[in-house]
Amino acid sequence: MSDPIRSTRPEECASAADATLVGLLDLLAAPARMIAADGSPGAVNRSYAALVADGRPVVGEVERLDLADGRRIEIWPRGSATLPVLSDAIEALEEGFAVWDADDRLVLFNRRYRDLYRDFNDLTYPGVDFASHARARLNAPQLQMLQPEIEAYIERRRRERRQNLPPFEVERIDGRWIRLVDRTMPDGGLVSIRIDVTDLKRREARAAERSQILQTTLENMSDGIVAFDGEHRLVAWNDRAFELAGLPDEMKRRGVSMVDLVRAQAANGEFGDSSFEAVFRTHSDWLASTRPESYERRRPDGTILFVRHNFARNGGFITTFTDVTAQRQAEEDAERHQAILAAVAEAAARILSGESWLEQTRLLLARAGEVLSASRVILTEIRHGDDGDRRLVDLVVWNAPGAPPPPTPMPPGMDAARHAAFADWWDRREQGETEQALTRDLDPGKRAFLEAIGVRSLLRMPVMIGQQVWGTVGLDDCSSDRIWHPIEVEALRAVANLVGVAINRARSEAARQDSEETYRRLFEAAPDGIMITEHQIIMSANAAAVRMMGAASDRELVGRDIYDFVPPEYHAIARLRARVVRDSGQPAPYREREMLRVDGTRFIVETTGTKVAAGQRDRLQLIFRDVTEKRRASAEIQRQREALIQSEKLAALGSLLAGVAHELNNPLSVVVGQSFLMEETSRDERTRARAVKIRAAADRCARIVKTFLAMARQRPPERRRVALTAVVRAALDIVAYPLRTSGVELQVVVPDDLPLLWADEDQLGQVVLNLLLNAQQALMEAPTPRRLAVTAALLPGGARVRLTVADNGPGVDPHLRRRIFDPFFTTKPAGVGTGVGLSVCHGIVAGHDGAIWVEEAAGGGAAFVVELPLGEGEDGDIEELATADATGVGRHVLVVDDEPDIAAMLGEILDGAGFRVTVVESGRGALDLLERLHFDLVLSDIRMPDIDGRDLWRAVSRPGRPGTPIAFMTGDSLGASAAEFLIEAGCEVLEKPFDPPEVVAFVRRLLGRPV
């Protein structure tokens, strides 16, 4: 059983009071030697019993004589037989004191002992046995969970009490801490001392908390710190101190002596060649001086430590370690940088003095090599031949004393190897890049060349003249694998810049003599107009300025006031801008302004002004460019952008209308079919007449729907035999209402017997519709009467058909006719025209090998003419149509459509045409019938709720099944999924809405083909 209370066993007593009590116990338990009256040797043992004298407990002494022969004699002293002095002393103790006899019964206790067990006062009395007393204390409610183990615990405690264990501490359930001391006496009795150490524990806890805070603070310090007591033993530290001082982690423990720490440092080589004895002697001298001390020490790894020793009040001392490596390196770098700057400045003064740049560069490179401790400094020029070859010429080579000089001149073989190995480097250097490398890290070609000339590390910096790379200046180190310091890199960059400045100055000086002529050529060749003014008077003008100003020569401009060419309303702002430029010396930002030509006409320019120094005089340079055409082009681009947006809106509207048209397909098919059947079957003339009207209206709606679908459908062009008459009629159906409400008189002359065209019907319909809409919009600007004529005819030769759409509107200006078909070009106001329609028409007609143009209509207005070839398409469709009427009678057709009205109507139409027809309203029903019956053709809708047309086709077409032709009807020709499926299946399609003759012809054509 584990203790029900926490306990500690300190090795030593924690207070002087403890020592006093222990001494008292030893005194009480000490045996005495004596001789009995009969001469028998024996030992006197004193024991004490609880007595009551004068109403208070005292200690009663009993002497027991144990003789050698085993006899025992108890002797009570005469008189009161009390020890009041000893009793008073025990009572005066601050600690609890009790005496137990050999049978573990309580004999004696003081008031403090009783107070420590105040909750059990009724059980604390002389004669109570230890087990009862302990059991009562352990029966507290807080210890109920330990009840099964209490007896075992009490028995263990009885044994431990008689083992003279070191003092230990326990925490009671009320939170108090008690230190327990138990000592046995020779007679088997036991003395118990109980000390309340609660306050001591609390102080220790607070001290531990403060110690933890201190340790946390120490660990968060960037400096290392160690503290020693007066005996020079370690009492506090942080990990940073052990890291910086090079001490092993196993020595991180309290009590380690300073001597052991110094010995460990010396063993690790922290003090270099100095022996442990020498280092310890230095430490001892410092400790004897009792003065603070600080110094810097370099560790074997190069780290520089700033060490401080300070004495503490208790005779100990504190040592701190600060890593100042970066600081000292920065100071060294600063000193070195200062020396480099001084050397560069000295050389710069000479190189900029105007003397020979090459000679001064030699001195500069020599000084740089000395300051930077380089083995070699090389200035290399990159020269390009007329044939594009690149040559490298070493103009200056400086070698440090003792450094191996490179071969001069370089042997041809080595020079070629140099060019081959470093081609990629020179490419990068010509882009202005810096190169630094260690020879050992390079590829074999570069490494072999550099090892041949003794280079172990190199640094190359481009020499720039303006934005061009003239060559390089480089440093070589032939003695070590050197990593170039950033300061060295920047120093070499400064040298390269100075060399570039010197070369540039030399070139500038050489070019100064012909600068006037060069400037004049540039001035005259400038594409922008340039005029130089002094006090507002034009001093010179280049050819571009003369041309823009409309002058015959510069004599018409020179000598005149610049404000003669500035519109009066801009005089104030122009004078203000000139004053700002003159006062600030900064160029004016480009602004758009109007200027006046020599003849007084205005034009728009972008202009800026700059201040030009001419000796002691300040002149202003006016630079301008004519942006009239740019403005016009910008406006045109904006107009075309707006037209494109309008076109996108129209496309979206077209898609919306096509979606609406698609939703009308099924009901329109029913209306068209039923009206046709009503017309065919009704015997009542009035009913037949009404059916004819319904059918005519439904046919018109169907044509409009098909036209919308054709316009919105996105598919590759598909050419087939097309009747131009039907195309024109479908387009007129769409625009008939707006033409009628606009008061337009429509004349249509399109013969029904025109030959069929080989064309894409959808695209052709789009051309006709665009031309009709353009004509309608043009007529809105014309007074009444408004006339629109659509004519078509077969041209002589019988190979081409001409379609003309003519109106009596305002017409098209002759100079615009050549641009009327350009993309985004329009003569209509903003928001009305997009400039896209005619461009699309032109592209479609050209794609059909035709031609389209505009001309003046008879009587005024515009006539758009389209000529198309008949084409040489396949004649299979015509042949099929010619023979379809006699095909399919008596053949069995399965009609599948989830719309009952459409399915029933199709069955009635085909039944009336002589076919055997079975109608089913679901794909699942169709599959059941196909398993049991044979059909010559399946005519199915694509979109159905359970098994759709796709699944039906896959079931019919699966391997091992007798092939049954299948065709589809759909109103979803716009859907991407439907279109993809139809391409995959390769089946014929009957698009809704359809009329009965179209259905019959479609089925007969399919049944006339081989399965």
Side-chain angles (χ1 to χ4, degrees):
M1 169 183 174
S2 60
D3 287 352
I5 47 181
R6 294 189 294 114
S7 65
T8 58
R9 296 179 181 272
E11 296 178 358
E12 299 176 354
C13 296
S15 67
D18 293 348
T20 302
L21 287 173
V22 173
L24 180 60
L25 294 178
D26 291 340
L27 176 63
L28 291 173
R33 305 293 297 175
M34 67 172 292
I35 302 297
D38 59 1
S40 300
V44 177
N45 290 291
R46 295 181 180 89
S47 61
Y48 300 86
L51 302 177
V52 178
D54 301 328
R56 61 190 180 94
V58 297
V59 177
E61 179 184 21
V62 178
E63 292 185 352
R64 185 178 66 248
L65 175 62
D66 294 319
L67 300 178
D69 57 5
R71 291 177 296 157
R72 173 179 293 175
I73 302 175
E74 291 186 353
I75 305 173
W76 285 86
R78 297 182 181 182
S80 62
T82 62
L83 293 177
V85 175
L86 180 59
S87 178
D88 290 344
I90 292 173
E91 191 64 32
L93 290 173
E94 292 292 333
E95 293 78 7
F97 184 89
V99 178
W100 304 79
D101 64 13
D103 295 325
D104 272 338
R105 294 185 179 277
L106 185 60
V107 176
L108 173 68
F109 56 89
N110 63 0
R111 183 177 295 104
R112 181 57 176 162
Y113 187 89
R114 186 184 184 92
D115 290 344
L116 290 175
Y117 298 100
R118 63 173 59 91
D119 294 336
F120 310 99
N121 282 344
D122 55 341
L123 293 175
T124 306
Y125 57 86
V128 66
D129 64 280
F130 171 76
S132 299
H133 192 269
R135 192 175 296 111
R137 288 185 284 111
L138 295 174
N139 280 328
Q142 298 90 326
L143 301 176
Q144 288 302 313
M145 74 290 296
L146 303 176
Q147 293 305 314
E149 302 179 9
I150 284 179
E151 294 303 324
Y153 172 73
I154 292 173
E155 181 60 30
R156 181 166 59 83
R157 283 292 297 129
R158 289 184 62 176
R159 292 195 303 271
E160 289 178 349
R161 280 158 45 93
R162 299 191 175 278
Q163 293 175 3
N164 290 330
L165 297 175
F168 63 95
E169 296 164 354
V170 297
E171 185 183 19
R172 299 197 325 192
I173 58 177
D174 61 358
R176 308 290 294 178
W177 281 86
I178 306 298
R179 178 174 295 137
L180 280 63
V181 182
D182 293 311
R183 291 291 184 269
T184 58
M185 294 186 297
D187 64 350
L190 183 72
V191 175
S192 297
I193 299 174
R194 300 295 182 262
I195 308 168
D196 189 339
V197 293
T198 303
D199 292 340
L200 175 62
K201 280 292 185 180
R202 290 172 180 169
R203 289 194 298 272
E204 289 177 350
R206 289 194 295 270
E209 181 180 1
R210 289 194 296 270
S211 176
Q212 182 61 39
I213 293 173
L214 174 61
Q215 189 62 37
T216 302
T217 303
L218 291 177
E219 292 301 337
N220 287 326
M221 295 175 60
S222 59
D223 291 350
I225 183 169
V226 291
F228 296 88
D229 61 14
E231 297 180 358
H232 304 161
R233 295 186 177 278
L234 185 65
V235 294
W237 67 89
N238 62 1
D239 292 343
R240 181 65 172 159
F242 274 68
E243 176 188 345
L244 292 177
L247 291 167
D249 288 345
E250 57 267 20
M251 303 192 78
K252 293 180 182 177
R253 63 181 186 275
R254 295 173 60 90
V256 175
S257 69
M258 180 197 71
V259 174
D260 291 339
L261 293 175
V262 173
R263 182 177 286 109
Q265 285 182 293
N268 291 336
E270 287 291 326
F271 305 114
D273 297 333
S274 299
S275 65
F276 162 72
E277 290 75 11
V279 174
F280 181 72
R281 189 162 47 252
T282 302
H283 278 64
S284 299
D285 293 344
W286 169 74
L287 290 172
S289 70
T290 68
R291 293 192 305 272
E293 183 182 34
S294 61
Y295 56 88
E296 287 188 3
R297 178 169 68 83
R298 185 181 293 273
R299 294 189 58 205
D301 62 0
T303 304
I304 302 174
L305 299 180
F306 180 65
V307 185
R308 293 183 295 272
H309 301 297
N310 289 285
F311 282 94
R313 295 179 181 177
N314 63 352
F317 64 92
I318 298 173
T319 300
T320 59
F321 304 91
T322 303
D323 187 348
V324 296
T325 308
Q327 178 181 345
R328 296 297 176 263
Q329 186 63 48
E331 292 171 356
E332 293 177 6
D333 291 344
E335 293 177 1
R336 190 176 186 189
H337 193 200
Q338 191 64 30
I340 292 172
L341 289 178
V344 171
E346 176 187 353
R350 290 198 302 267
I351 205 168
L352 300 177
S353 63
E355 302 178 14
S356 169
W357 76 269
L358 188 57
E359 185 58 34
Q360 295 302 322
T361 298
R362 295 181 193 277
L363 298 176
L364 170 63
L365 299 186
R367 183 67 177 132
E370 294 170 356
V371 173
L372 297 174
S373 303
S375 303
R376 185 180 301 128
V377 185
I378 304 173
L379 177 65
T380 303
E381 180 183 2
I382 304 174
R383 295 179 182 176
H384 296 275
D386 295 336
D387 55 359
D389 289 345
R390 179 173 53 205
R391 293 194 306 114
L392 310 178
V393 180
D394 296 333
L395 294 182
V396 178
V397 179
W398 174 86
N399 275 278
T408 305
M410 192 170 293
M414 181 176 289
D415 192 46
R418 175 189 188 187
H419 281 74
F422 293 93
D424 58 332
W425 278 20
W426 288 106
D427 290 339
R428 291 202 297 271
R429 288 177 200 170
E430 288 194 329
Q431 302 300 319
E433 295 184 18
T434 301
E435 295 286 353
Q436 55 177 316
L438 299 177
T439 299
R440 68 186 184 196
D441 297 334
L442 298 176
D443 60 66
K446 296 182 178 65
R447 186 168 63 248
F449 175 81
L450 293 175
E451 288 175 348
I453 59 175
V455 177
R456 297 179 62 179
S457 174
L458 60 85
L459 173 63
R460 297 292 184 269
M461 189 70 62
V463 175
M464 308 292 295
I465 298 181
Q467 299 299 317
Q468 300 297 319
V469 179
W470 174 87
T472 64
V473 60
L475 302 177
D476 290 342
D477 193 314
C478 300
S479 59
S480 66
D481 295 332
R482 180 174 181 176
I483 303 299
W484 301 94
H485 193 278
I487 291 178
E488 297 169 336
V489 175
E490 291 305 314
L492 187 62
R493 193 185 310 278
V495 170
N497 290 340
L498 280 174
V499 173
V501 169
I503 297 172
N504 193 40
R505 283 172 57 90
R507 290 183 174 182
S508 299
E509 183 64 24
R512 186 181 61 82
Q513 299 178 1
D514 59 349
S515 61
E516 285 294 331
E517 181 61 26
T518 302
Y519 169 77
R520 191 65 196 173
R521 290 177 181 175
L522 292 174
F523 182 77
E524 290 298 332
D528 292 340
I530 304 175
M531 292 192 292
I532 307 297
T533 67
E534 184 176 344
H535 303 299
Q536 303 180 193
I537 303 302
I538 300 174
M539 307 302 295
S540 61
N542 70 347
V546 171
R547 183 180 65 258
M548 292 181 200
M549 300 300 292
S553 68
D554 62 345
R555 287 192 296 272
E556 294 188 48
L557 302 176
V558 174
R560 293 186 60 177
D561 193 318
I562 186 63
Y563 291 100
D564 291 346
F565 304 100
V566 178
E569 62 268 26
Y570 295 130
H571 279 192
I573 187 65
R575 292 181 190 278
L576 177 61
R577 292 188 72 192
R579 184 164 60 251
V580 170
V581 171
R582 189 165 45 247
D583 294 344
S584 67
Q586 299 298 317
Y590 271 97
R591 298 286 174 83
E592 285 193 2
R593 292 285 185 269
E594 284 188 341
M595 288 188 68
L596 299 176
R597 294 189 176 92
V598 172
D599 60 4
T601 58
R602 298 191 178 206
F603 66 108
I604 302 174
V605 297
E606 277 185 353
T607 178
T608 183
T610 59
K611 184 177 179 179
V612 179
Q616 299 298 319
R617 302 183 305 276
D618 286 338
R619 294 180 175 179
L620 294 182
Q621 178 177 262
L622 178 68
I623 303 174
F624 57 95
R625 63 173 64 100
D626 188 344
V627 295
T628 305
E629 285 300 319
K630 177 182 175 182
R631 288 282 295 275
R632 186 179 295 113
S634 178
E636 177 66 15
I637 291 172
Q638 181 62 28
R639 187 188 61 76
Q640 292 180 1
R641 184 180 295 112
E642 293 172 356
L644 180 59
I645 293 173
Q646 185 66 19
S647 173
E648 292 174 349
K649 291 180 180 179
L650 291 175
L653 181 58
S655 297
L656 177 62
L657 292 176
V660 174
H662 163 254
E663 293 301 323
L664 295 175
N665 277 331
N666 284 338
L668 274 177
S669 296
V670 174
V671 173
V672 171
Q674 293 297 339
S675 62
F676 178 84
L677 294 175
M678 184 184 298
E679 178 186 353
E680 291 290 323
T681 60
S682 177
R683 299 180 181 275
D684 181 28
E685 290 299 327
R686 294 179 61 187
T687 302
R688 294 185 63 185
R690 289 176 180 173
V692 170
K693 292 180 180 180
I694 294 173
R695 182 184 176 194
D699 283 342
R700 181 180 176 191
C701 291
R703 288 196 300 272
I704 293 174
V705 168
K706 285 189 174 182
T707 303
F708 276 139
L709 291 174
M711 291 175 61
R713 183 183 294 118
Q714 295 182 359
R715 59 172 178 77
E718 182 180 346
R719 298 194 184 186
R720 59 182 179 178
R721 292 296 180 182
V722 176
L724 182 60
T725 305
V727 172
V728 173
R729 185 182 301 114
L732 287 172
D733 283 338
I734 294 177
V735 299
Y737 177 76
L739 289 176
R740 186 169 62 255
T741 56
S742 301
V744 177
E745 300 175 11
L746 181 63
Q747 180 185 4
V748 180
V749 182
V750 180
D752 291 334
D753 59 352
L754 284 176
L756 298 178
L757 298 175
W758 184 251
D760 184 289
E761 185 174 4
D762 295 344
Q763 290 186 340
L764 207 55
Q766 189 174 357
V767 171
V768 176
L769 183 60
N770 278 339
L771 295 180
L772 291 173
L773 290 174
N774 275 357
Q776 178 205 349
Q777 291 176 357
L779 287 171
M780 295 301 294
E781 303 175 8
T784 56
R786 299 168 180 158
R787 299 187 179 91
L788 174 61
V790 181
T791 61
L794 181 65
L795 295 180
R800 298 175 73 86
V801 172
R802 172 177 292 179
L803 173 69
T804 304
V805 179
D807 63 71
N808 64 340
V812 180
D813 290 343
H815 69 281
L816 296 178
R817 292 177 185 173
R818 62 182 180 84
R819 299 185 58 198
I820 198 79
F821 296 103
D822 291 347
F824 305 111
F825 178 82
T826 181
T827 59
K828 301 169 187 175
V832 177
T834 63
V836 175
L838 289 178
S839 171
V840 171
C841 291
H842 183 274
I844 292 174
V845 172
H848 284 74
D849 298 324
I852 182 172
W853 67 90
V854 61
E855 59 188 28
E856 186 174 356
F864 284 84
V865 182
V866 177
E867 283 191 5
L868 293 169
L870 296 182
E872 298 179 356
E874 300 174 359
D875 295 329
D877 291 344
I878 298 176
E879 294 175 0
E880 287 184 8
L881 288 173
T883 60
D885 288 342
T887 304
V889 176
R891 307 289 286 275
H892 198 176
V893 179
L894 176 62
V895 175
V896 188
D897 198 308
D898 62 323
E899 291 280 348
D901 292 340
I902 293 180
M905 180 192 70
L906 286 170
E908 191 174 353
I909 291 172
L910 294 175
D911 183 70
F915 296 97
R916 290 176 57 207
V917 183
T918 299
V919 176
V920 66
E921 297 176 1
S922 70
R924 190 173 302 280
L927 283 179
D928 292 341
L929 289 174
L930 286 169
E931 292 293 336
R932 294 184 286 107
L933 300 176
H934 171 73
F935 293 93
D936 298 296
L937 177 66
V938 177
L939 183 60
S940 172
D941 193 9
I942 293 180
R943 296 178 59 181
M944 292 184 292
D946 53 355
I947 295 179
D948 61 6
R950 300 175 182 82
D951 296 332
L952 185 61
W953 172 77
R954 293 187 179 97
V956 171
S957 305
R958 68 175 182 264
R961 183 183 182 90
T964 300
I966 185 169
F968 293 101
M969 48 190 172
T970 182
D972 188 27
S973 59
L974 288 178
S977 61
E980 292 174 0
F981 165 67
L982 292 173
I983 293 173
E984 175 190 358
C987 297
E988 293 286 344
V989 181
L990 178 64
E991 291 190 5
K992 300 175 183 178
F994 40 70
D995 56 22
E998 184 181 1
V999 174
V1000 173
F1002 178 77
V1003 172
R1004 284 178 174 170
R1005 179 167 57 85
L1006 293 180
L1007 290 175
R1009 294 180 178 178
V1011 177

